[in-house]
Amino acid sequence: GGAKPFTYAMRNGKILEMAYCEVPAAVLDDTEELARWADAARAAALRAKAAKPIKRAKTPVIQRGRK
């Protein structure tokens, strides 16, 4: 089975569902399976990072001769 989205309850009782998933308890008991999950998670994170456009710093506009 797959992982379920990580959720937690806020102080006001609202349940937040995060964009990442929790590892099933059975995976935590199997170090080899946990390593496979970790490798897959890292690969997914690298793919997501590579898909994002590079942010460029804004160049400040220098205005001369204005008073």
Side-chain angles (χ1 to χ4, degrees):
K4 294 182 276 184
F6 179 78
T7 60
Y8 71 94
M10 296 178 57
R11 290 183 194 174
N12 65 5
K14 182 178 178 181
I15 303 294
L16 286 183
E17 185 174 292
M18 305 304 293
Y20 48 89
C21 296
E22 60 185 19
V23 177
V27 173
L28 296 175
D29 294 332
D30 181 346
T31 56
E32 290 179 8
E33 184 68 10
L34 182 57
R36 284 190 286 273
W37 275 68
D39 289 341
R42 182 173 187 275
L46 292 174
R47 284 191 307 273
K49 181 179 180 183
K52 289 183 179 179
I54 297 172
K55 290 185 179 180
R56 303 211 184 266
K58 291 185 179 181
T59 305
V61 176
I62 301 173
Q63 297 181 354
R64 297 177 187 214
R66 298 185 96 201
K67 292 185 180 187

